[in-house]
Amino acid sequence: MIAFRFSAGATVCRLLSLATPCTSARLNSTSVRIGVSPRVALADERVHITVSGLSPSQEVTLRALVTSDDDTLFESCAQYGASQEGALDLSRDHSLGGSYIGIEEMGLLWSLLPASMELPHRRLFHRDPMRGPQLLEFFVHAGLSNRGSIPGSVLARSCCERWFCSPGVTRTQIREGRVRGSLFLPPNEGPFPGVIDMYDDDGGLTEHRASLLASRGFATLALPYVRFEDLPESIADVRFEYFEQAASLLIHHPKVLNSGVAAIGTGKGGELALAMVTFLPQVVAAISISGCHAVTGGELRYQGHILPGVGYTASRIRLLPSGILDLSETLNDPCDQVYQSSRIPIETADGHFLFVVGEDDKRWKSPLYAAAAVHILDLHARNNYQVLTYPGAGHRIDPPWCPFAHTVLDPMLGIPVMEGGQSAPHSYAQAHSWKQILEFLHCHLVAKQS
């Protein structure tokens, strides 16, 4: 476990006041205790939660609270019955109801949703990993209650810090040539294996995955490509030379191994990762999370290659009765022969591929696109790929324990958009795939060097 300095303070009191809306909800003077271990850890580590000092078979509700960077309150809850010894262990005991049902050790974290007084469809992630940790509060309430209802009296409380960068990780803002972003470097002198992280195509700079990768030993460039500073507003205006310059910048950094870098991306970023390992010799491995095997949106031009973008048909947007948009049918079928020239020629790549897909992706048909990519590689007798496919997982497969969101508020449209998935299997996909991603990067960047 990585050692951190614990720094809970006034935020604890603020969250406690939010958690006890009625004056009768006072801390009980009994011996009820919550055990949280570790109390301070990286956000991709498990936390073990136990409760002791309850009466035999006593019914209680465990509740978690956290505030986002924009002061939105997120909450989750789970109902339990204590053992005959008056104890609970979330790695062993079944939740009877609330935000999830069954044995889910990390359920209080991945089931966090905006509290009932907040606007729905918000996503919880740490926008500035260098500013400090996410502080989670855990409460034990008497009786059984659900989200949005007034809970019973507070019997015990505890907290933990979830950090998105380990001590010693540094961040440097990159504004070199056309390239914009943030470079996260692990502690010590290096050199370190290099990774380019393109989180998704919502625009702006997203750093939490890059900072976690740096905490695990990878020099990671969080690379935005639209709607950040002086970058283009539309993906159609992005030139592939931008990614070439980013790869060159990273591999020539004195603290980065010069034997090749990897690219990881989600959605459009996953597609770009496939293109980078195909066309750029500096990129030797690609991780495509819910990506497409063809160019989408604007065309890709690079050194004589012209790949027209697969377009979208707006008339196929569906507005569901709930007011949520379903965009899953809007991308024209990249597997159609008419779009053959849009397909990224991944069979020519010397590098390695990792495809990560959720079978219930409702943003677009990423399982179909991954299957098509694998079919192409098989036809050319290439065995340079791995596929991770997860039943019940949706579009945005993040690092472990990031709260699941079936729908998210689109920053451009201002309307909630369906992303798909179910909470428990999606959470499993995030935890399992993260381990596989780290192993893949070690295999093709670290082991290759040694």
Side-chain angles (χ1 to χ4, degrees):
M1 186 185 75
I2 297 175
F4 296 86
R5 180 175 60 86
F6 189 76
S7 58
T11 307
V12 175
C13 300
R14 176 174 178 267
L15 287 178
L16 179 58
S17 66
L18 288 168
T20 56
C22 59
T23 56
S24 63
R26 302 177 184 276
L27 275 175
N28 197 305
S29 59
T30 66
S31 59
V32 178
R33 296 287 184 270
I34 304 179
V36 180
S37 176
R39 291 183 68 212
V40 183
L42 280 173
D44 61 357
E45 293 184 45
R46 286 182 177 270
V47 60
H48 186 207
I49 301 173
T50 59
V51 181
S52 60
L54 298 169
S55 301
S57 303
Q58 182 176 352
E59 293 183 335
V60 293
T61 300
L62 270 65
R63 192 169 176 227
L65 291 176
V66 63
T67 52
S68 66
D69 296 346
D70 61 358
D71 287 329
T72 299
L73 180 67
F74 286 74
E75 66 173 347
S76 63
C77 70
Q79 303 168 355
Y80 289 92
S83 69
Q84 290 303 307
E85 292 75 30
L88 290 174
D89 184 334
L90 268 61
S91 68
R92 176 196 66 202
D93 296 324
H94 286 258
S95 168
L96 307 174
S99 300
Y100 58 91
I101 295 175
I103 301 175
E104 297 290 349
E105 183 178 22
M106 299 294 288
L108 286 173
L109 279 73
W110 57 247
S111 65
L112 286 160
L113 289 173
S116 56
M117 78 286 287
E118 305 285 4
L119 292 174
H121 312 298
R122 299 285 188 92
R123 293 178 57 231
L124 175 65
F125 61 83
H126 214 38
R127 295 187 181 278
D128 187 354
M130 304 299 285
R131 192 175 73 173
Q134 282 185 342
L135 178 63
L136 273 78
E137 289 283 312
F138 299 102
F139 300 87
V140 179
H141 295 273
L144 304 182
S145 56
N146 283 305
R147 292 183 71 254
S149 64
I150 297 176
S153 58
V154 177
L155 305 179
R157 67 177 175 90
S158 187
C159 55
C160 73
E161 289 184 359
R162 307 289 286 173
W163 289 79
F164 284 83
C165 64
S166 61
V169 168
T170 61
R171 176 179 64 185
T172 303
Q173 298 300 322
I174 300 299
R175 295 176 180 85
E176 187 170 327
R178 299 179 184 178
V179 179
R180 303 292 180 264
S182 297
L183 177 61
F184 291 87
L185 291 175
N188 304 320
E189 291 303 313
F192 309 103
V195 179
I196 297 173
D197 180 22
M198 298 163 290
Y199 182 72
D200 62 11
D201 52 357
D202 284 344
L205 175 63
T206 302
E207 299 176 318
H208 69 284
R209 185 168 64 192
S211 61
L212 276 176
L213 286 169
S215 301
R216 296 305 181 190
F218 299 94
T220 309
L221 174 61
L223 185 69
Y225 45 92
V226 289
R227 296 185 288 279
F228 179 74
E229 295 186 352
D230 56 351
L231 295 179
E233 287 295 307
S234 169
I235 190 65
D237 297 323
V238 178
R239 297 292 174 259
F240 194 70
E241 285 76 11
Y242 175 77
F243 305 99
E244 180 184 39
Q245 291 175 18
S248 178
L249 181 153
L250 184 60
I251 203 168
H252 287 104
H253 192 281
K255 287 195 172 185
V256 175
L257 294 171
N258 61 8
S259 54
V261 301
I264 178 173
T266 301
K268 178 69 180 182
E271 166 198 319
L272 290 167
L274 298 182
M276 290 171 73
V277 76
T278 299
F279 293 119
L280 304 179
Q282 309 98 313
V283 181
V284 298
I287 301 168
S288 175
I289 302 174
S290 304
C292 185
H293 66 301
V295 175
T296 63
E299 68 179 8
L300 185 156
R301 289 176 174 263
Y302 181 70
Q303 293 187 351
H305 298 277
I306 302 176
L307 280 63
V310 178
Y312 292 82
T313 301
S315 62
R316 292 201 291 262
I317 296 176
R318 291 197 306 146
L319 180 63
L320 304 179
S322 59
I324 296 170
L325 289 182
D326 180 353
L327 306 180
S328 60
E329 299 290 338
T330 56
L331 180 67
N332 297 332
D333 184 5
C335 299
D336 192 310
Q337 190 64 29
V338 72
Y339 295 112
Q340 178 65 23
S341 59
S342 301
R343 184 180 64 78
I344 300 167
I346 55 176
E347 69 277 8
T348 66
D350 293 326
H352 292 263
F353 301 94
L354 176 62
F355 301 93
V356 181
V357 293
E359 293 183 11
D360 195 39
D361 187 347
K362 299 298 185 186
R363 195 68 183 243
W364 58 7
K365 299 177 181 179
S366 59
L368 180 64
Y369 309 152
V374 167
H375 178 67
I376 292 164
L377 292 171
D378 286 344
L379 283 177
H380 290 82
R382 305 304 304 274
N383 61 358
N384 57 339
Y385 69 87
Q386 297 172 244
V387 183
L388 302 174
T389 178
Y390 297 99
H395 177 73
R396 203 178 303 260
I397 300 176
D398 280 336
W401 326 128
C402 288
F404 166 74
H406 185 268
T407 58
V408 296
L409 196 66
D410 188 281
M412 297 296 291
L413 301 175
I415 301 173
V417 174
M418 184 185 301
E419 297 219 322
Q422 295 89 47
S423 55
H426 189 92
S427 177
Y428 169 81
Q430 294 189 152
H432 184 270
S433 65
W434 184 248
K435 291 181 180 179
Q436 300 302 308
I437 286 168
L438 295 179
E439 289 181 10
F440 178 83
L441 292 174
H442 274 284
C443 178
H444 299 294
L445 297 181
V446 181
K448 178 181 177 180
Q449 179 69 16
S450 58

